[in-house]
Amino acid sequence: MRTTVPDRPTGQLSDAWRLCVGTGRLELALRRDYQDSLELIQREIGFRYIRGHGLLSDGMGVHRPYEYQGERRVRHSFTYVDQVIDAYLRLGVQPFLELGFMPSGLASGDRTVFWWLGNITPPKDWNEWAALVRALVAHLIDRYGLEQVRQWPIEVWNEPNLKEFWADADQDAYHRLYEVTANTVKEVDASLQVGGPALAPGADPEWLVRFADFAAARSAPVDFVSRHAYTTGPAQHVPFGVHQTLAPASRLLEQFAAPREELKGTALADLPVHITEFNSSYRPDNPIHDTAFHAAYLAPVLAAGGELVDSFSYWTFSDMFEEVGVPTSLFHGGFGLLTHRQIKKPTYHLYAFMARMGDQVLASGADHLVTRHHDGRTTVLAWAPVDPTGREPVLSHTVQLSLPVAEASGDDCAAVYVQRSSVSEEAGNAWAAWNEMGRPASPRARQLDALREAAEPARSHRSLPVHGGRVDCDITLGLHEVTLLEITPVRDETPPWWDEARLYGGNA
Amino acid sequence: MRTTVPDRPTGQLSDAWRLCVGTGRLELALRRDYQDSLELIQREIGFRYIRGHGLLSDGMGVHRPYEYQGERRVRHSFTYVDQVIDAYLRLGVQPFLELGFMPSGLASGDRTVFWWLGNITPPKDWNEWAALVRALVAHLIDRYGLEQVRQWPIEVWNEPNLKEFWADADQDAYHRLYEVTANTVKEVDASLQVGGPALAPGADPEWLVRFADFAAARSAPVDFVSRHAYTTGPAQHVPFGVHQTLAPASRLLEQFAAPREELKGTALADLPVHITEFNSSYRPDNPIHDTAFHAAYLAPVLAAGGELVDSFSYWTFSDMFEEVGVPTSLFHGGFGLLTHRQIKKPTYHLYAFMARMGDQVLASGADHLVTRHHDGRTTVLAWAPVDPTGREPVLSHTVQLSLPVAEASGDDCAAVYVQRSSVSEEAGNAWAAWNEMGRPASPRARQLDALREAAEPARSHRSLPVHGGRVDCDITLGLHEVTLLEITPVRDETPPWWDEARLYGGNA
Amino acid sequence: MRTTVPDRPTGQLSDAWRLCVGTGRLELALRRDYQDSLELIQREIGFRYIRGHGLLSDGMGVHRPYEYQGERRVRHSFTYVDQVIDAYLRLGVQPFLELGFMPSGLASGDRTVFWWLGNITPPKDWNEWAALVRALVAHLIDRYGLEQVRQWPIEVWNEPNLKEFWADADQDAYHRLYEVTANTVKEVDASLQVGGPALAPGADPEWLVRFADFAAARSAPVDFVSRHAYTTGPAQHVPFGVHQTLAPASRLLEQFAAPREELKGTALADLPVHITEFNSSYRPDNPIHDTAFHAAYLAPVLAAGGELVDSFSYWTFSDMFEEVGVPTSLFHGGFGLLTHRQIKKPTYHLYAFMARMGDQVLASGADHLVTRHHDGRTTVLAWAPVDPTGREPVLSHTVQLSLPVAEASGDDCAAVYVQRSSVSEEAGNAWAAWNEMGRPASPRARQLDALREAAEPARSHRSLPVHGGRVDCDITLGLHEVTLLEITPVRDETPPWWDEARLYGGNA
Amino acid sequence: MRTTVPDRPTGQLSDAWRLCVGTGRLELALRRDYQDSLELIQREIGFRYIRGHGLLSDGMGVHRPYEYQGERRVRHSFTYVDQVIDAYLRLGVQPFLELGFMPSGLASGDRTVFWWLGNITPPKDWNEWAALVRALVAHLIDRYGLEQVRQWPIEVWNEPNLKEFWADADQDAYHRLYEVTANTVKEVDASLQVGGPALAPGADPEWLVRFADFAAARSAPVDFVSRHAYTTGPAQHVPFGVHQTLAPASRLLEQFAAPREELKGTALADLPVHITEFNSSYRPDNPIHDTAFHAAYLAPVLAAGGELVDSFSYWTFSDMFEEVGVPTSLFHGGFGLLTHRQIKKPTYHLYAFMARMGDQVLASGADHLVTRHHDGRTTVLAWAPVDPTGREPVLSHTVQLSLPVAEASGDDCAAVYVQRSSVSEEAGNAWAAWNEMGRPASPRARQLDALREAAEPARSHRSLPVHGGRVDCDITLGLHEVTLLEITPVRDETPPWWDEARLYGGNA
């Protein structure tokens, strides 16, 4: 059945899908592969913020205790912080600051998370912690200006409801951390935005309510609320990897919606909600991230998520990520939209397709999103339904649309030019090519070139006739296909003497 | 019927196809679009030499007469010559110098050729001409070194058998020009290479014999012989364009072979032969140049031409070309492998495919060329037969090959990875897309981006099994398709625990 | 005597000095050297507009008459116009459009100006001229948007008061051209800015009054008034060059002021005035342009010109310029701030120094200009007085200033850091180095590198003490020196343990 | 007294000074600042090899034990090794491989060195170590080709004579490590070069003799001998820094000479000797590294070191170095020729000056080195003597030379063009500027720009007359000055009509 897409926009396309993206720990931002990847992503997608762990961890070298004249002192050093943030701003992205983890010189214990040993214990001296936060924020304002820093959300810690990330998952201790930190930030400048608690999925629904109660009771400043969303079951380990069952993608949208539900009636009810991490699997070694399935799985989330929250941040933009150690193979199930060396995964293209949509929504359906640009172009994102168990693959799926053609500068338009870009099991799928190549752990230069070619979407183009200001568009999708149609009204400049029949020299 | 490709190479693939490429007049090399195009071409194709008209024409500002103390003098100025050649060398290509046309201050008449008014008359003062040649060559050696300049062939004038290019097409006058010029070059340094006569097709077969006789009689130095090759009939003009009938591409190969035939028995019989210009049409405004047909038409010429001559130089690499004036539309039937702004035409891809062939020939047929690389890869170029009248299009054509698989480092290889790139009426065909877009004369930025995407070849990949050290390869070609297959033996690094069935989380 | 610079700004520094810059004919903008030069200039100086001749001349290929079905027609083609303007916008500069010269297919005569043959005759068909103007302006709006094109001033023709530029210097004919053109522009969109008459110096003072009277009488739209300013006497020719006497630079300021004087009481009295060309010599082959003298000569003009006019446009940014033919030597007295291949002339640095001034003026004197930046830095431009006859060179000149130090973030500031950059006969003077090198016409790569090094200003730095919120600054200037001082309050971060005496290992 | 420099070369200038340069641990090569710095250095200096620690340390992720089917296995992973070496080769430098330190999964103990915890204990399993070495070398050959890898020296471990670098500084244990490692390398391919022992200064002179005896006794392959050289006394600590006394630079040359002395009469007597690390101080936090003193101190070492050894490798090219933690300030006494963000230190320029010397030595003295280029240029490096105690600074020093002028292409040459570049306390000294700026730990963008300008050498130029084929050259050097003179014979192209007196318009 053909869907008739309305002539008039039904609303604006929210940019929640690209407000923020995740990254491996900030120290990695010093790397060239990381910056090359981010540069490519900013050119073709264009995120506004980037968020990652480890801003205050030892690798960044910020908190530097020393002795002088027999007395303990602390130097706050921003050598790498500046290099990281300079790079972000140069690449057109702003930091979404996450304050953590604990510098070892200030930690009250030695519990750590990840291969890179982020310390997860509270500070041993709250004044020294406050001084660190104050010095950091004041330095950023001094260097980048208040107008700039005021735009950067500041999030207090990460997933304090998990004992892997916060000693004993002690909520009261987190409330103290939050209060000290948020107040310190606001003392530097009241216009800065501070929030939390970057809650991991699976938290008791009362957790946020308690947080709201604490904030109200202590008058702790809260400018936004944040949580995370993932849809996988427990990890089944193999060497250097895991497998996990997957819930349907709709479960992500439910998680997005949860904070507003849970906070109804509290003082935090009307705050912006940021999903500061989301993905299917929360593991950086699950091959599902590399597949075309993954793009089709997430397509409806990107299309609809903006109706529920202010942002949802894909975790993460690059495979340059070391939470379980240095990857041992080019494709290894990493979170990245890009592998090391900038091979585009299908999910990269889902984002790049979204970045080519217009900002007026004409229609939004279970398998499609239709937008219009100000210059009159129409853009269709369509995707095949997926089975998250892999048992009942949808080998073919058709979307039929009747699309309105915007009148281009009053001209009578007899045809549209349609350019189609697709990723699927067959096309735009470097992982499939890599599998066929024999899964080389360390591909050579020539193999990397071949993978880059294989990673590009399939492109096709044709002309379609316009009847009554409308064009009929039949989109057949293969297994796990996500496709973008860019539809431009044709202004015909063909000169009167053009005659295709004469191309081979025949007389007129 | 399946062709069995031999295990062992039958010879080396000659690089005659990319020894040289043509260009619009040298002054255009000062332009940015020109240099951007050449940079792209050198990266993906890699010509050794480049040849064009107008080195000595007024736009290059070389011959500068003036008066001083009541006396006529000449300054030789290399401001632009240096900029042009510096650019060539920076881009990795060397000049194939064509000495011409006549500076107006040295010309004996005012007859010109082209919109840009190249003067085609003999010098009014032979000593001043010799001084100009001497100054030019000496300057080049002074600036670039003898080792370098000695590698640059020096061709005397262009198509002296046509009265459009040489006043009255006077062969004796040409002989005089040749003699003075060649002797002057050799006086500067005897190791320099000089030759000619850059003969246009259609010349009397005795022309070259007379040239050989003259050279012998006068002991004029000749290091190589050059001529041109084109296959179109007379121009049928429409505004800003022409249509022409086409002879079969085999006619190009016959023209390539002609000089050796004609010079048999003369003193010039064993010299290198350079086809310093070739194309289908000799007109820069015939749309045939822009088509997929053109790539398929020329494919057998590129595959086989090297058996006949030392080089054959495609006329020209870019649409930045002004012999009939400034082009009035992006696609306008120009000679270029690239349009302005670097849109790749199908024939560009034919060259880029050739550049990815190995240097050992395994097989060469009417519709295919098979090569091997030193690292064991096999590469197949295949093309659909074409009808140069356009009346009987070959809509589908199949090439079936049994290919040997080179043993990669002694491993047992069970499969090959095959990556295919194609241009055809459908794919890698920006001209087709531009037609569908309404033939915009001055495409906007967004349209240019769309054309660049449409211009990329279709890519696909798969794995094929190896049996008895061989792989069967069936290549189906659409209308006017040219395709490249790159076939790499697979070294399987799949770990023992990999199980695709567990991708969606099922237990092992 | 020490000048006491006030604490508080006396006004804003006008940006008239960098509102516009001149260029050789627009076709040259297709060249790489041109674009490389403009890119450098935009990075270090940053002009807003660029203005040059020849937009409609044959080399741009815009006006293309043809016959079809027995009838004369005209195609308007924008192949090169688009390439030029795309390049400008990419480089961050907008066109200041000059409509001229006459396409040869539309010209009423064959009189031309310049080596490149700009036709200076009125159109033979006023409707066809209007159609050309209309097509051009409409195309620009279609491609770049009205918001953009509305910012581009449109100037009608060039120096119609000289018979070299406008047949017979016929003022009535110019009025007709102006009226037809301006009305046509406004018909496309009334918000576009149109003006003229780009008057050459030496015009009868009544010329502009007559123009004003004509405009009033005919209700011809005029949005701005433009004229040119030069200060040299007649050309004394030598081969490939001229020498000319020079009037004092103050004569330029008088010429800047003239239009407002002359138009007092007319309907054009309050319009913006643009000096759309200025320089010392109006010849592109006067070596004075290459000297340090030239920078010092123009320094007071740049410092003060903004008080008189809305813009004054240096003629021209680059030596890529061909009005008297292709230059025969690297240095040849060209107008450029840069030679071919981007060697910076002293006048380039004058502009680059100006680009580093703050936007608040603290003081403006006969030999200095002092500005403050919003971040508290103070910047001083100082220059040595010059003798335009060269007879009484000022070998040394001292400027003594007492400068206020802006309090940086409330800190007590005990010192300032001063960085000084200078050009003079000795420093930042590639022309002097080139003279010493033996004046090579075509410098080799190594010589170009040496010239680029020699072209950089001398830099020095030191710390000066602050007393009572002021710093005393004594600036000694050599012959033809122009110098920039950048003065930054010091925030001392020296740690307490730093002891320079221990640098070589002595104990504390 | 004027030194008369001979007409004829006395020998070739050895390239030992730039054969190799040191780097912080290899993992840092993943960083962008590191690669940007190396790119700059390769462009202006051009080292052949680069050597650093940590190739096998955990951060590189090479040795990856895991369990599969209940059994311990090891995966050898080259994800980062490939990224590092790809970057080196792209930047035109080859690795000088140092095998170390011990992966923690293979270590026999937990003793570590440096902030980044390099494990310094022997392997717990010698077979697993040999397998690791074999896998590494085989992988490199597979990826880069034997022709390439055969050029890369392979050094076994680092400073085994210090207990900080090798557990207990146990020489016998080192011999075992050497033997296993060297034999394993040679088993992969006998043409690979292996050597050691990278001896730290201060070793018992018998150490090398015992190493030679061991090698002879066990027939262990040794292709080269390596040691290190430093000249500072013990560290006097201040927070984030040290001070140390300095021995004269001649002490470095003595250390260079030591291995050949010590090995006389052993089987290793005639092997190449590589000084695989040298510097004044061995501490990465001694400000002496940042000074102009340092350049003048090392100048005679660079000029003369090549007579003693095959290479001497400056430790290190960049301040991106973390042995004592992340630097807390831009200037911090790091080893680098460049600071973070590519500020050039004076010693950088010493190297850059050396890179501009010719390859024929004309003279070599206590304060100068004179070379000739093949194109006839003469180059002089001169330096002021220094007092390493800082007590008796040499404020001025003059070098007087009589230099032969090579005849340029038989011309009579009446003058030379001299371009001088200097670094000293005043010029080319970003550290001095940074001191004056108030020693900002984290300079802002504008301050970094100012430092980059302050870091450039002072440049001047003039013409000197040639008499009797010689030119007299008087070089006055300021405190700690190092200067480069580039002297080019002038070929005078001045036209006869040039008259400087007419520059300002006077008649001839």
Side-chain angles (χ1 to χ4, degrees), chain D residues 41-335:
Chain D
I41 273 178
Q42 288 303 93
R43 191 165 61 238
E44 298 193 352
I45 301 174
F47 291 102
R48 174 151 181 207
Y49 294 111
I50 189 165
R51 172 191 173 275
H53 309 320
L55 175 62
L56 300 175
S57 291
D58 291 2
M60 293 293 283
V62 177
H63 178 267
R64 310 296 290 274
Y66 64 100
E67 248 193 47
Y68 184 60
Q69 299 180 332
E71 185 180 294
R72 175 188 167 90
R73 299 188 179 191
V74 176
R75 174 176 256 192
H76 298 112
S77 169
F78 302 105
T79 302
Y80 285 173
V81 169
D82 289 355
Q83 287 191 30
V84 168
I85 296 181
D86 286 3
Y88 284 157
L89 298 181
R90 183 175 56 78
L91 296 169
V93 69
Q94 295 175 301
F96 193 116
L97 296 170
E98 174 200 323
L99 298 182
F101 297 117
M102 198 53 60
S104 59
L106 181 52
S108 58
D110 57 9
R111 274 178 281 181
T112 63
V113 65
F114 302 142
W115 176 76
W116 52 270
L117 305 177
N119 186 295
I120 58 154
T121 67
K124 66 182 177 193
D125 178 327
W126 289 96
N127 288 332
E128 200 166 305
W129 170 259
L132 170 62
V133 170
R134 188 178 304 112
L136 171 72
V137 176
H139 171 76
L140 294 175
I141 291 171
D142 182 53
R143 185 176 183 86
Y144 301 105
L146 181 57
E147 278 316 298
Q148 178 66 253
V149 180
R150 166 185 290 160
Q151 298 174 49
W152 306 350
I154 302 175
E155 192 182 41
V156 180
W157 213 255
N158 180 66
E159 303 195 347
N161 60 317
L162 295 186
K163 65 183 192 309
E164 288 82 355
F165 284 100
W166 180 240
D168 306 323
D170 178 336
Q171 187 167 1
D172 287 340
Y174 177 74
H175 289 170
R176 181 165 187 197
L177 180 77
Y178 186 88
E179 183 178 355
V180 170
T181 306
N183 282 332
T184 302
V185 168
K186 292 289 189 178
E187 282 162 29
V188 178
D189 192 282
S191 70
L192 298 168
Q193 311 165 50
V194 68
L199 210 60
D204 167 5
E206 290 304 303
W207 208 106
L208 272 189
V209 177
R210 290 193 298 270
F211 177 68
D213 291 348
F214 139 75
R218 301 285 304 173
S219 302
V222 184
D223 295 310
F224 62 86
V225 172
S226 60
R227 71 158 278 169
H228 298 168
Y230 292 98
T231 48
T232 38
Q236 307 162 38
H237 290 276
V238 294
F240 307 104
V242 302
H243 297 293
Q244 294 169 287
T245 57
L246 274 175
S250 57
R251 185 66 194 105
L252 281 171
L253 296 172
E254 292 164 29
Q255 293 179 63
F256 290 5
R260 282 205 211 283
E261 294 288 326
E262 293 165 9
L263 290 170
K264 261 184 200 155
T266 74
L268 307 185
D270 297 325
L271 291 183
V273 173
H274 295 295
I275 304 300
T276 51
E277 291 180 19
F278 89 97
N279 206 318
S280 55
S281 163
Y282 56 82
R283 289 281 314 184
D285 50 1
N286 183 334
I288 204 72
H289 294 125
D290 302 331
T291 64
F293 163 87
H294 204 248
Y297 175 85
L298 290 182
V301 177
L302 263 70
E307 295 162 25
L308 302 170
V309 287
D310 295 88
S311 76
F312 47 108
S313 175
Y314 188 74
W315 188 254
T316 60
F317 81 96
S318 163
D319 276 356
M320 185 56 74
F321 191 91
E322 298 179 341
E323 289 184 1
V324 299
V326 178
T328 60
S329 174
L330 180 71
F331 280 99
H332 57 269
F335 289 123

Side-chain angles (χ1 to χ4, degrees), chain B residues 102-280:
Chain B
M102 197 54 60
S104 58
L106 181 52
S108 58
D110 58 8
R111 273 177 282 179
T112 63
V113 66
F114 302 142
W115 176 77
W116 51 271
L117 305 177
N119 186 294
I120 58 156
T121 66
K124 65 181 174 195
D125 178 327
W126 288 96
N127 288 331
E128 199 167 306
W129 169 260
L132 170 62
V133 170
R134 188 178 305 112
L136 171 73
V137 175
H139 170 77
L140 294 175
I141 291 171
D142 182 53
R143 185 176 183 87
Y144 301 106
L146 181 57
E147 278 315 298
Q148 177 66 251
V149 180
R150 168 185 288 160
Q151 297 173 50
W152 306 351
I154 302 175
E155 192 181 42
V156 179
W157 213 256
N158 180 67
E159 303 195 348
N161 60 317
L162 296 188
K163 65 181 192 309
E164 288 83 356
F165 285 99
W166 181 240
D168 307 322
D170 177 336
Q171 186 165 3
D172 288 339
Y174 177 73
H175 290 170
R176 180 163 187 198
L177 180 78
Y178 185 88
E179 183 177 356
V180 170
T181 307
N183 283 331
T184 303
V185 167
K186 292 287 189 180
E187 281 161 30
V188 179
D189 192 282
S191 70
L192 297 169
Q193 311 166 50
V194 68
L199 211 60
D204 166 5
E206 290 304 303
W207 208 105
L208 272 187
V209 177
R210 289 194 297 271
F211 177 68
D213 291 347
F214 138 75
R218 302 282 306 172
S219 302
V222 184
D223 296 309
F224 62 86
V225 171
S226 60
R227 71 158 278 170
H228 298 168
Y230 292 98
T231 48
T232 38
Q236 307 163 37
H237 291 276
V238 294
F240 308 104
V242 302
H243 297 292
Q244 295 169 285
T245 56
L246 275 174
S250 56
R251 184 67 194 107
L252 281 171
L253 296 172
E254 293 163 29
Q255 293 178 63
F256 291 5
R260 283 205 210 285
E261 295 289 326
E262 294 164 8
L263 289 169
K264 260 183 201 155
T266 75
L268 307 184
D270 297 323
L271 291 182
V273 173
H274 296 296
I275 303 300
T276 52
E277 291 181 20
F278 89 96
N279 206 318
S280 55

Side-chain angles (χ1 to χ4, degrees), chain C residues 104-118:
Chain C
S104 58
L106 180 52
S108 58
D110 56 9
R111 274 177 281 180
T112 63
V113 65
F114 302 142
W115 177 77
W116 51 270
L117 305 177

Side-chain angles (χ1 to χ4, degrees), chain B residues 30-32 35 64 75 77 79-80 82-83 86 142-143 322 326-328 340-341 442-444, chain C residues 30-32 35 64 75 77 79-80 82-83 86 142-143 322 326-328 340-341 442-444:
Chain B
L30 299 172
R31 296 203 179 158
R32 173 151 194 153
Q35 291 191 27
R64 310 298 290 275
R75 175 177 256 191
S77 169
T79 302
Y80 286 173
D82 290 355
Q83 287 191 29
D86 285 3
D142 182 53
R143 185 176 183 87
E322 298 179 342
V326 178
T328 60
H340 291 173
R341 297 165 181 273
S442 298
R444 303 169 181 200
Chain C
L30 299 171
R31 295 201 180 160
R32 171 149 194 155
Q35 291 190 27
R64 310 298 290 274
R75 175 177 256 191
S77 169
T79 302
Y80 286 174
D82 289 356
Q83 287 191 29
D86 285 3
D142 183 52
R143 186 175 182 86
E322 299 178 341
V326 179
T328 60
H340 290 174
R341 297 165 181 273
S442 297
R444 302 166 183 205

